[in-house]
Amino acid sequence: MNLGSIEFFVLFLPLGWLAYLLVPRTPRFQNAVLVVLSTIFYLSWTPSMAWIMALSISVNFVAALAMERLRTSPGKHRAVFWAAIVYNTGQLVFLKYAGFFAASLMELMGSDSTATRSSLHFILPIGISFWTLQLIAYQIDVARGRTAACRDFLVFSVFVLFFPQIPSGPIPRPHQLLPQLSKSRHVEPSWISKGAAALLMGYCLKFLVADGIASVVVQPAWADPAHHSALSAWVGLVGYAIQIFGDFAGYSLMAIGCGRFFGIELPQNFTVPFFSTTMADFWRRWHITLNSWLFDYLYGPLLTTRGFFRGRFDLGFVVVFGLSGLWHGASWPFVIWGFVHGLALAIHRRWDERLRRLCRTNRVWVTRRKSFAWKCAAWMLTQSFFVVSLVPFRAQNLDELRTFAAALLGFSQHGSAIYPSGLEWAMVIAALGVFATYNIGGTATGIRIWKTFLRLPAPVRGIGYGLVVVMLLILVPVGTGNFIYAQF
Amino acid sequence: MSDLAPEVGSIWRNIAMIFAAVVVTVFAADFLLRTICPPIPPKMEFSDGFSEFVSGKPNALVLGSSHARAYVALQKKVSQFTSGQVHLSVLPLEWGKLSSYQWAIENRIAPYLEQDRSSANPQTSQLRHLLLVTEWWDGCSPDNGRAVNIPARAWTLKHFVSDVIKEGLTDFNRSYLTSQWSSLWRWTILWSDRGIGRLPRALWARAKGAEGLETPESYQGRIIWWQNMTEGAFEDPNCKNGKELEALDHIVEFTKKFNLELTVVLHPRMPSTLTVTAKSTTLNRFANELHKRAVVHGFRIVDATVTSPLQDNDFMSDFDHVTEQGSVTLADWALSSGLSFLLTLAEPATQRHP
Amino acid sequence: MHSSELRELILDWLDDNYHFGDARTLMHDDNMSWLENGILSSLGFVQLILFLEDKLGLVLDRDRLTRENFDGMNKILRHVLGQKGTPA
């Protein structure tokens, strides 16, 4: 069951919400309902792996309490901290990467790795990559005294299990979620209104934009790149950039919307990333909770340590983004994707440093840097790089990566084009319209239009929302619905 | 976008009004859209065929994917030519593969036959034949190893509950719920058309005429897609692993156990979608596998893949399913060639050959 | 070190590295968030931390070094001046 499925909308969410509203408004009752709902939701994904999740919650709960009790004994405190970190990372590495590392090692030694890969291929507990980071952040924050260890097992269970965030995040920090869960929540009508708007926009982004564009232009181009022209391959690639954005930003908005129905605010995960004019800016707007996690718990500490990495900004980018690639998936194309982004950030930082030197000596460069033409060029370069970098991200293996790259460069064998019908193009245009609406919503004009809409009488707004629902029912393709990021 | 300005006044009443307006808008739109594009009557499904099988005392079963629906014309012809003495039951299992047919046989058909034949007055004593309608695609195992469509088409509540207890709610068993939910809304166009796409086409046709629904390029592009897909299947590991063919062995076991004759019908494909390469590779490999088994187990094969008189225009716009007229042509051809024995299943045989 | 001296040091650094003479104009409120107002990016904060540590010869307290505790002039001044070993 995912946030877009029928049983979620028809049964799970209305009944769960009703139960939440009916229980006494105390943290204990409200959290108990959320634990039950989240457990049902979790069991609907990977029930055989539920014990791993239960064990993780218990171990991390106890470890944090122990750390707090042992604050006066630094040695023991450190030992418990590292044990918790090793437990969390070890679990993720073993379940997600053991097969990949072992198979890569065997391939390096020239042996057949198929048997190794399949014997070390485990069913992953849903969302393990996300909640592992959440738990590591919790342990670090408790160890450093930034957050008090949670003393209520029910609160801690909701912190980890809260169902909208489980499959694909956002990855909330302890200080963002724990205080909300420790208090009773009054479900304000304005929250329901905000939640419904986020849910509807998320649903449109996922099912109209991502799935609509995927079925018309992305899947045909990627299914058989060796037979497609360069133009078709480029259309398929740009389409994929929009698809993956719609898929993940859509999911994040749906999760945030669901959270609001229960009076809980999850952190934002996207802020119009296609407006970015540098890659650093892009990563501050795309998958914000992951990238800020990587920055705060990995890059920042690494760069400011007294050791080897101190001040080695560029090497830090390459290492951290390489790990980010690996986090996204246990395959070489993902690792390559990560390294490419690390390198791009390093190159941009060097370029920016040089530019800042020029700015220091001559203010003309300051003016140039702020000019419209400069920003357009920077935007073009940033977005083009992001789109091209998706080739290794989408490729299943190195062969597919090579074939698609060849198609982009016009080296495909037959060079036929994707031929959507007029109707299919109309559906793509509708999808792009929703995509544009989301982006305009991030501008001052968009916010003004939205506020004007909110001032309209309730029935008129209802008709507006109803027409969006009708559009979704007409245009959303059936048979899709899996979220790309749920597999990470 | 999601940061709404706080609402003022009686917000709960506003929310109720918004919700009511949404519901009214959706149903009003559905009412209007039904005048442009009325919902199509439900297609024949496995459960319909199974009910008919249970009540109809058939002489032969026709089991296959959605392609099996084309054999309703055959059912009618046989009934007509034998004055109703020979009756076929058609069991179309949408998106079925050989393993899906095996599942349907082992979990629906065989238990019924066992129960019926042990009763004092068996209803299936005249059942003599199984016609298995298949094609190369049925020999390709699905990625996840489980035929995706059984829950929606052939499961009962009992199967759903036991699978959820065992596996949790999965994409696989969810399709049972989805199909049950959808069946409640068959009377609406907005819901019943989901995944079919008649409504957008009708809206487009009303706005722009038929132009743009299909351009010569998009038509040709789709033909090439089919050709590439069929050719590409030869190297697809899911199509070469032979897993689905193991299901055929189980189906043969079933026919032996219940003393049924088996005929495997290789269903016709749209001529333009097949290249010479596809015929000599993907299609040939599947046919050869069937022939090898036919020699061992002694079942009959009727290969209509390219030998039937069907032309491109006998196929629907999906290039996959045979039109109503094409089904009649196919039935006439089949009864005058490989499936003529169906007319002799009743004893004494009625001699009104087409 | 006095608060106003540290403030000037930071403003000079901002001018030298990011705002080229505009830092004092942009910094109309010492309580404003630098991240939210585009004064400094997260990468810029790392550079600032390294600069302050090298310049003042101290190690800033990592435990309290969070976005919330370091995002803005007053917060930085509080964090650095409250630190053991800050030159008087």
Side-chain angles (χ1 to χ4, degrees):
Chain A
M1 176 163 56
N2 63 47
L3 299 192
S5 61
I6 291 166
E7 60 271 21
F8 181 82
F9 272 109
V10 174
L11 294 172
F12 187 86
L13 187 61
L15 294 180
W17 191 55
L18 206 62
Y20 193 73
L21 293 181
L22 290 177
V23 295
R25 203 186 304 150
T26 64
R28 183 161 294 273
F29 278 103
Q30 289 181 320
N31 289 331
V33 171
L34 289 180
V35 165
V36 171
L37 288 177
S38 301
T39 306
I40 294 170
F41 188 81
Y42 189 85
L43 289 175
S44 78
W45 285 85
T46 43
S48 58
M49 296 282 118
W51 65 274
I52 292 181
M53 172 56 107
L55 194 64
S56 277
I57 293 174
S58 309
V59 167
N60 280 283
F61 179 74
V62 172
L65 285 176
M67 258 195 295
E68 215 165 58
R69 202 162 300 146
L70 295 168
R71 208 170 281 284
T72 47
S73 325
K76 288 180 185 168
H77 180 268
R78 210 170 17 250
V80 175
F81 169 72
W82 281 111
I85 298 296
V86 168
Y87 173 82
N88 286 310
T89 37
Q91 178 175 266
L92 178 66
V93 168
F94 180 72
L95 290 173
K96 190 169 171 177
Y97 302 103
F100 168 67
F101 285 133
S104 299
L105 198 68
M106 290 188 75
E107 278 163 22
L108 209 65
M109 295 188 308
S111 324
D112 182 11
S113 62
T114 320
T116 312
R117 200 179 280 271
S118 61
S119 66
L120 286 173
H121 180 76
F122 305 104
I123 300 170
L124 285 180
I126 188 73
I128 187 170
S129 306
F130 294 87
W131 50 261
T132 298
L133 296 190
Q134 191 185 349
L135 286 169
I136 291 173
Y138 173 70
Q139 295 298 346
I140 293 174
D141 284 4
V142 170
R144 288 184 174 267
R146 296 171 186 163
T147 294
C150 180
R151 295 179 180 281
D152 185 331
F153 190 69
L154 215 48
V155 169
F156 189 70
S157 301
V158 183
F159 167 66
V160 186
L161 260 181
F162 187 40
F163 68 88
Q165 84 200 17
I166 267 282
S168 313
I171 307 165
R173 297 287 179 81
H175 73 269
Q176 288 169 325
L177 200 51
L178 283 172
Q180 294 189 65
L181 299 174
S182 307
K183 290 186 295 198
S184 62
R185 274 84 66 190
H186 177 50
V187 183
E188 298 274 347
S190 63
W191 279 65
I192 296 164
S193 171
K194 282 198 239 176
L199 202 59
L200 194 61
M201 180 44 100
Y203 197 91
C204 286
L205 282 176
K206 161 63 186 163
F207 293 100
L208 195 56
V209 176
D211 291 352
I213 286 181
S215 63
V216 180
V217 296
V218 182
Q219 279 155 14
W222 281 87
D224 193 13
H227 292 98
H228 277 300
S229 66
L231 180 65
S232 295
W234 279 103
V235 169
L237 185 59
V238 174
Y240 182 61
I242 298 174
Q243 182 202 346
I244 197 162
F245 166 77
D247 187 282
F248 194 25
Y251 183 88
S252 299
L253 270 178
M254 287 167 78
I256 289 166
C258 281
R260 285 176 183 162
F261 275 97
F262 295 88
I264 292 168
E265 186 71 24
L266 292 171
Q268 287 293 335
N269 228 7
F270 287 82
T271 49
V272 283
F274 291 109
F275 286 177
S276 321
T277 51
T278 66
M279 275 322 292
D281 187 25
F282 186 90
W283 289 121
R284 282 192 286 271
R285 294 164 177 265
W286 180 289
H287 204 173
I288 297 167
T289 54
L290 171 70
N291 290 305
S292 63
W293 191 100
L294 289 171
F295 195 92
D296 292 349
Y297 294 101
L298 217 53
Y299 188 81
L302 202 64
L303 269 285
T304 54
T305 164
R306 286 277 148 198
F308 170 77
F309 276 96
R310 184 177 176 83
R312 294 181 192 263
F313 293 95
D314 302 337
L315 187 61
F317 279 137
V318 175
V319 169
V320 170
F321 269 85
L323 288 172
S324 169
L326 202 57
W327 178 89
H328 279 87
S331 75
W332 285 111
F334 276 125
V335 179
I336 292 172
W337 171 83
F339 276 126
V340 164
H341 272 280
L343 269 176
L345 284 167
I347 290 167
H348 175 260
R349 201 196 66 83
R350 294 257 166 138
W351 156 251
D352 194 51
E353 212 164 62
R354 192 182 164 81
L355 203 62
R356 282 188 281 137
R357 266 205 300 274
L358 289 170
C359 288
R360 248 174 250 142
T361 52
N362 188 346
R363 272 199 72 86
V364 172
W365 284 98
V366 178
T367 319
R368 272 185 200 161
R369 238 172 86 151
K370 287 179 181 168
S371 71
F372 181 69
W374 185 283
K375 281 181 181 158
C376 282
W379 178 83
M380 194 70 194
L381 200 62
T382 302
Q383 300 303 329
S384 307
F385 172 76
F386 171 69
V387 168
V388 172
S389 77
L390 286 174
V391 178
F393 195 84
R394 174 66 165 74
Q396 303 283 325
N397 49 50
L398 292 174
D399 275 346
E400 194 176 72
L401 196 159
R402 269 193 293 270
T403 316
F404 198 86
L408 286 174
L409 296 171
F411 297 129
S412 58
Q413 292 164 10
H414 299 290
S416 66
I418 307 169
Y419 288 117
S421 65
L423 175 60
E424 285 175 325
W425 276 125
M427 289 163 85
V428 170
I429 289 166
L432 291 176
V434 172
F435 176 66
T437 305
Y438 166 84
N439 284 293
I440 291 167
T443 64
T445 314
I447 291 165
R448 210 169 41 245
I449 294 171
W450 184 236
K451 282 183 175 167
T452 310
F453 176 75
L454 291 177
R455 278 195 291 273
L456 293 172
V460 179
R461 275 182 286 154
I463 291 170
Y465 294 135
L467 291 174
V468 175
V469 173
V470 170
M471 181 180 73
L472 286 170
L473 285 169
I474 295 175
L475 295 179
V476 164
V478 170
T480 49
N482 290 324
F483 291 88
I484 296 173
Y485 264 70
Q487 62 196 287
F488 295 152
Chain B
M1 181 56 113
S2 53
D3 287 330
L4 300 187
E7 305 228 28
V8 288
S10 64
I11 300 169
W12 280 109
R13 203 182 61 220
N14 271 358
I15 285 177
M17 281 204 292
I18 288 172
F19 184 73
V22 168
V23 172
V24 169
T25 306
V26 171
F27 281 97
D30 191 82
F31 179 77
L32 283 175
L33 292 168
R34 264 182 279 154
T35 61
I36 296 170
C37 181
I40 42 172
K43 284 182 193 164
M44 184 190 194
E45 295 290 353
F46 181 86
S47 54
D48 304 314
F50 191 76
S51 306
E52 198 190 283
F53 161 54
V54 168
S55 60
K57 298 189 178 179
N59 305 84
L61 288 179
V62 182
L63 179 61
S65 65
S66 52
H67 295 151
R69 290 195 190 104
Y71 295 78
V72 172
L74 181 77
Q75 179 192 40
K76 285 180 185 158
K77 289 266 173 189
V78 168
S79 178
Q80 183 192 334
F81 292 139
T82 62
S83 305
Q85 289 192 46
V86 177
H87 179 57
L88 310 183
S89 277
V90 180
L91 301 168
L93 183 46
E94 183 88 31
W95 211 351
K97 289 175 171 287
L98 289 170
S99 56
S100 324
Y101 312 144
Q102 182 198 342
W103 188 95
I105 284 170
E106 288 175 354
N107 294 277
R108 301 297 305 273
I109 299 170
Y112 170 69
L113 286 178
E114 268 166 13
Q115 183 202 339
D116 180 64
R117 290 189 176 178
S118 62
S119 69
N121 183 22
Q123 302 289 298
T124 58
S125 50
Q126 75 284 25
L127 182 65
R128 293 274 178 274
H129 221 94
L130 173 66
L131 248 70
L132 189 71
V133 179
T134 186
E135 57 143 334
W136 68 267
W137 190 80
D138 294 356
C140 302
S141 53
D143 282 340
N144 59 7
R146 295 180 94 182
V148 287
N149 221 29
I150 302 171
R153 309 293 168 171
W155 273 17
T156 60
L157 182 63
K158 179 186 79 179
H159 299 112
F160 172 71
V161 171
S162 65
D163 198 75
V164 170
I165 290 170
K166 208 168 130 198
E167 304 282 343
L169 201 59
T170 60
D171 278 350
F172 179 68
N173 58 37
R174 271 187 64 229
S175 64
Y176 174 80
L177 282 183
T178 314
S179 61
Q180 296 297 312
W181 167 257
S182 297
S183 65
L184 290 175
W185 299 96
R186 271 184 187 164
W187 59 276
T188 68
I189 184 64
L190 282 172
W191 196 269
S192 69
D193 191 56
R194 298 196 72 217
I196 297 170
R198 281 173 65 245
L199 179 56
R201 293 172 71 83
L203 289 171
W204 178 271
R206 174 158 283 220
K208 307 271 289 182
E211 197 184 327
L213 281 176
E214 181 94 281
T215 60
E217 289 83 8
S218 63
Y219 182 89
Q220 196 53 34
R222 291 199 300 128
I223 292 278
I224 291 170
W225 183 87
W226 271 96
Q227 291 175 343
N228 290 340
M229 192 264 289
T230 315
E231 281 182 18
F234 189 62
E235 290 304 328
D236 184 341
N238 287 323
C239 300
K240 353 193 235 194
N241 60 21
K243 279 184 190 165
E244 286 293 314
L245 286 158
E246 289 167 18
L248 182 61
D249 298 334
H250 290 282
I251 294 171
V252 170
E253 289 302 313
F254 157 79
T255 55
K256 285 179 181 166
K257 182 177 173 190
F258 288 94
N259 205 20
L260 302 176
E261 262 187 67
L262 174 65
T263 299
V264 175
V265 180
L266 279 160
H267 188 67
R269 304 302 314 151
M270 182 168 153
S272 293
T273 61
L274 299 178
T275 58
V276 175
T277 311
K279 285 179 202 167
S280 63
T281 54
T282 307
L283 271 64
N284 196 36
R285 179 176 62 197
F286 187 66
N288 280 345
E289 287 294 333
L290 293 185
H291 280 288
K292 270 192 241 165
R293 283 168 169 79
V295 170
V296 176
H297 298 296
F299 59 78
R300 185 188 287 118
I301 293 178
V302 176
D303 190 347
T305 314
V306 290
T307 53
S308 84
L310 298 190
Q311 298 300 311
D312 282 1
N313 57 8
D314 289 313
F315 287 82
M316 293 186 191
S317 58
D318 61 3
F319 299 173
D320 187 22
H321 295 92
V322 178
T323 61
E324 215 165 298
Q325 183 53 47
S327 302
V328 175
T329 311
L330 177 64
D332 284 336
W333 172 79
L335 288 177
S336 63
S337 53
L339 297 183
S340 58
F341 68 88
L342 289 173
L343 300 170
T344 64
L345 285 183
E347 291 299 341
T350 309
Q351 297 301 319
R352 278 187 60 197
H353 203 274
Chain C
M1 180 178 268
H2 199 267
S3 164
S4 57
E5 283 175 280
L6 182 57
R7 187 174 184 280
E8 286 305 306
L9 183 71
I10 293 169
L11 286 173
D12 285 345
W13 181 84
L14 277 175
D15 259 341
D16 257 6
N17 290 280
Y18 284 94
H19 298 295
F20 315 107
D22 296 336
R24 283 167 177 81
T25 324
L26 290 167
M27 203 76 63
H28 48 79
D29 178 4
D30 281 358
N31 287 317
M32 71 196 275
S33 157
W34 287 6
L35 280 170
E36 282 169 21
N37 291 286
I39 306 287
L40 204 58
S41 66
S42 40
L43 182 63
F45 274 103
V46 172
Q47 287 172 319
L48 177 61
I49 290 165
L50 293 179
F51 166 75
L52 289 174
E53 286 189 341
D54 292 345
K55 187 81 181 171
L56 305 176
L58 53 81
V59 180
L60 292 172
D61 178 5
R62 294 289 185 278
D63 290 351
R64 294 192 303 118
L65 200 59
T66 60
R67 283 169 194 251
E68 294 70 33
N69 289 340
F70 213 70
D71 180 20
M73 181 62 91
N74 276 342
K75 288 180 179 175
I76 296 172
L77 295 177
R78 253 198 313 274
H79 192 98
V80 177
L81 294 171
Q83 175 91 36
K84 267 188 204 168
T86 306

